[in-house]
Amino acid sequence: MMIGTLKQILQATSVSQRLGEKLMARLSEERWKQQLASYLQYEQKQYELWQYIYFLIAGRYGEKSVDDAVMDGSVNDLVNAALGNEIKKAMLCYELRAALSGAPQQAADRALERALEYGNLFVMMMQTRLTDQIQR
């Protein structure tokens, strides 16, 4: 079960990276770009951490795969997908933390907190975009 959850976290983190890159390329607002730059740095570190934990448990590195179907659509679609993916990562971290102990458990706790924080970022981004559309 833990290996399956780790695989899902690796995939979700890869999706986060791709969605963040797509949003960076398509957004023009500087404040969002700065936050996305931090997000992308964090996601890269998270991916490396989860790969390391996967390696310690499975004896090999996990495969990187991303479903490109999620990567198309409007900016609003990408923000919505990013929000959904952060919720998914939070749930996976919560599930995984119960199976871990020590430093890996603390890493899962921190990843859970950050997924919720970044989920909030995408909610704010969505609200701002919707407010701008309504005011036009």
Side-chain angles (χ1 to χ4, degrees):
M1 176 165 138
M2 186 176 359
I3 295 291
T5 305
L6 279 169
K7 283 181 182 180
Q8 289 178 58
I9 286 178
L10 284 168
Q11 182 175 8
T13 304
S14 293
V15 169
S16 292
Q17 290 172 315
R18 291 286 303 279
L19 287 167
E21 290 166 357
K22 292 274 188 175
L23 282 167
M24 273 288 263
R26 295 178 74 189
L27 286 172
S28 58
E29 298 93 345
E30 193 57 37
R31 72 177 180 163
W32 297 130
K33 285 188 167 222
Q34 289 174 355
Q35 290 182 325
L36 283 171
S38 286
Y39 174 73
L40 287 170
Q41 287 177 338
Y42 174 77
E43 289 303 315
Q44 181 59 40
K45 289 177 185 175
Q46 278 300 294
Y47 186 80
E48 292 167 5
L49 172 69
W50 292 124
Q51 276 286 15
Y52 178 69
I53 292 171
Y54 187 91
F55 180 79
L56 291 176
I57 293 170
R60 62 184 177 1
Y61 289 105
E63 296 179 22
K64 190 170 191 171
S65 65
V66 176
D67 181 7
D68 282 334
V70 179
M71 306 303 160
D72 292 330
S74 68
V75 170
N76 289 346
D77 292 339
L78 293 172
V79 171
N80 190 27
L83 173 59
N85 196 58
E86 289 305 310
I87 293 168
K88 178 181 179 178
K89 284 192 318 187
M91 291 172 32
L92 290 168
C93 289
Y94 181 78
E95 180 182 321
L96 188 60
R97 75 164 309 282
L100 297 171
S101 63
Q105 186 180 51
Q106 290 175 355
D109 287 341
R110 184 67 183 133
L112 170 60
E113 291 171 12
R114 291 299 291 259
L116 295 172
E117 289 171 14
Y118 282 121
N120 189 44
L121 168 70
F122 294 119
V123 167
M124 288 188 304
M125 203 180 281
M126 198 177 300
Q127 287 175 333
T128 301
R129 294 188 61 77
L130 290 173
T131 301
D132 290 347
Q133 288 174 358
I134 290 169
Q135 291 176 348
R136 287 185 206 165

